[in-house]
Amino acid sequence: MNMEYYDIFIGFLDSVTGHLALAVYLLAVTGERAVWRRLKKLPLLLLSPLIAILLSFGMYMLPELRAVQYYISSLSVLLMCALWVRWAWSWGFWPSFAAACMAGIFQVAGATVSAMVPLPFAPAAGLHLAISIAVSLLLYRLRFGTWFCLLLNDRSAPRRLALLLFALEATMELLLRLGFGLQPRFLSFYYLLVVAMVILMTVLIVYLAQRLDTARKMQAQQDVIAQQRLYEQDLEMLRREVRTFRHDYKNLLAGLSQQAGKGELEGLRRTLSQLEAGFDVRLGAKIQESAQIGNLQIPEVRSLLLSKLTAMREKGVECRLEVLYPLADVNMDVWDFVRCLGILIDNGVEAALDAGQPWVEIILLAQERRVFLRVSNPYTNHIEPGKMWHEGWSTKGAGRGMGLFSYQRILEGCPSASSSTSWDKGIFVQELTVEGGR
């Protein structure tokens, strides 16, 4: 019995060593610079090995759970570490879980490599921590944390990245368990396989982050080009308006002087008011549009709208854009939101082209943890409510109407989003509401 308690105590110390190594790797994979601020929160993490050893002891008392005891214990440790990261770094669950899995991969690999040298417990624990510190310093030197956090900051990536890293971490745990049953002649190949897997995972993360960084830079360049095209068009229109105003201002002044000479103050006031209103309508609309675009703080949404605005101008479709408040977040996958927005705008433009004076109105309102989108346009064709959501239906002919069908499929997978459709007096309106945004 005393031997069992001794084994539990050694198991607890081994778990503490593993958690310390995991904490070191967490600092590296998150690229943390304020190390002391995180280390001050380390004592709470040490509750995890205590809970894990009690859980393992409880499962050991149940014979039917002994076969999976190690895997359940490892999963519980991973979840507890993810919760600690969420508290210490103030991140969401999926980024925290991804960081814990990434650090867990390095920690398990370090434990495997340290087992290459048969040593008593104390020197083996020291070797494990020394390997952890050395690898973490190398990761800092390679700026691995910068690339990894770049992936975590992508709105659409944390969940998929976390699940991928969890699968890889589970594979590393399985390799660690398999290593105990290997014959000595296969151990060198086994250690080489573990090291190669960790290196490949590291390279994969850096490669994915670099691709994302390149895509973001290209998107930023496309945004700049689209903005420049819009601004150049606006400036040209403003220049024409000013030239027209300069050409006419002498006649306007002559008329105003004549009214003033006759003492027609009320008529003079009315003429000045009309002149000011007309000038504001022609010039103020362009200035207002620039301000609306500035409220779009989600790069993917801004990029899409800039490209759609440019395309609408080229087709002769007037766009009435209103973004009344800064839009910084939406409570659904950002690319799904972009796809929905693109589908609604494309449908609106296509329908508006059949009208005598084509226009599309786009309203984006972010307020009270809710994002509201409204796209309206003139519509002259016949509406078939029972068919418009079917795959392939279109007023332009069979086989073209994939947009609204895809739109419905996207919304089916997003419980926070709801849509509505209405048409009245030649105006077709599509509305999308996403609840729960910041």
Side-chain angles (χ1 to χ4, degrees), residues 227-261:
Q227 282 182 318
Q228 287 178 342
R229 291 179 63 185
L230 286 174
Y231 291 155
E232 287 174 359
Q233 293 173 4
D234 288 342
L235 287 174
E236 178 62 23
M237 295 181 69
L238 290 173
R239 186 181 67 83
R240 290 177 181 176
E241 292 289 348
V242 172
R243 286 182 63 185
T244 302
F245 186 79
R246 285 184 59 190
H247 183 267
D248 296 339
Y249 86 99
K250 288 185 179 180
N251 295 330
L252 293 171
L253 286 178
L256 292 174
S257 298
Q258 187 176 7
Q259 284 183 307

Side-chain angles (χ1 to χ4, degrees), residues 245 252-253 256 269-282:
F245 186 79
L252 293 171
L253 286 178
L256 292 174
R269 188 179 296 109
R270 186 167 52 251
T271 301
L272 287 172
S273 177
Q274 292 173 353
L275 178 62
E276 180 183 6
F279 194 71
D280 284 345
V281 166
R282 289 179 297 193

Side-chain angles (χ1 to χ4, degrees), residues 111-354:
T112 304
V113 172
S114 64
M116 293 173 61
V117 183
L119 293 172
F121 173 75
L127 178 62
H128 186 188
L129 290 176
I131 291 175
S132 303
I133 294 173
V135 173
S136 296
L137 291 175
L138 178 62
L139 292 175
Y140 268 112
R141 187 73 177 267
L142 297 175
R143 297 177 62 246
F144 177 81
T146 302
W147 295 114
F148 185 71
C149 288
L150 180 64
L151 283 179
L152 292 183
N153 290 334
D154 184 33
R155 292 181 176 88
S156 60
R159 180 180 300 182
R160 292 195 294 267
L161 181 63
L163 295 176
L164 171 64
L165 293 177
F166 174 70
L168 295 175
E169 206 278 338
T171 303
M172 295 298 297
E173 295 279 4
L174 182 61
L175 285 175
L176 179 63
R177 296 300 294 174
L178 292 176
F180 294 126
L182 286 178
Q183 298 181 8
R185 57 179 176 158
F186 296 120
L187 285 178
S188 58
F189 175 77
Y190 166 73
Y191 295 133
L192 180 63
L193 176 63
V194 170
V195 172
M197 282 193 63
V198 173
I199 293 175
L200 287 175
M201 292 177 198
T202 306
V203 171
L204 175 63
I205 293 298
V206 174
Y207 171 73
L208 292 175
Q210 288 179 342
R211 284 195 59 182
L212 176 63
D213 187 49
T214 302
R216 284 184 173 180
K217 289 178 179 178
M218 291 181 63
Q219 184 183 54
Q221 291 175 351
Q222 292 173 355
D223 284 356
V224 171
I225 294 172
Q227 282 182 318
Q228 287 178 342
R229 291 179 63 185
L230 286 174
Y231 291 155
E232 287 174 359
Q233 293 173 4
D234 288 342
L235 287 174
E236 178 62 23
M237 295 181 69
L238 290 173
R239 186 181 67 83
R240 290 177 181 176
E241 292 289 348
V242 172
R243 286 182 63 185
T244 302
F245 186 79
R246 285 184 59 190
H247 183 267
D248 296 339
Y249 86 99
K250 288 185 179 180
N251 295 330
L252 293 171
L253 286 178
L256 292 174
S257 298
Q258 187 176 7
Q259 284 183 307
K262 293 180 179 180
E264 298 177 1
L265 298 181
E266 185 61 31
L268 178 62
R269 188 179 296 109
R270 186 167 52 251
T271 301
L272 287 172
S273 177
Q274 292 173 353
L275 178 62
E276 180 183 6
F279 194 71
D280 284 345
V281 166
R282 289 179 297 193
L283 301 187
K286 302 304 175 186
I287 298 172
Q288 182 184 14
E289 183 179 284
S290 299
Q292 306 296 319
I293 294 173
N295 281 334
L296 294 169
Q297 298 177 5
I298 303 177
E300 296 87 349
V301 177
R302 184 175 64 249
S303 178
L304 174 78
L305 275 175
L306 285 170
S307 63
K308 296 299 182 185
L309 287 174
T310 303
M312 278 189 273
R313 286 191 177 181
E314 292 174 351
K315 294 178 179 179
V317 178
E318 178 190 357
C319 179
R320 306 167 187 173
L321 175 65
E322 291 188 22
V323 188
L324 301 180
Y325 302 100
L327 177 62
D329 183 62
V330 60
N331 189 34
M332 65 184 291
D333 183 273
V334 67
W335 291 113
D336 284 344
F337 183 76
V338 166
R339 288 170 60 197
C340 290
L341 178 59
I343 290 169
L344 296 183
I345 293 176
D346 288 342
N347 284 349
V349 170
E350 186 175 4
L353 288 173
D354 293 332

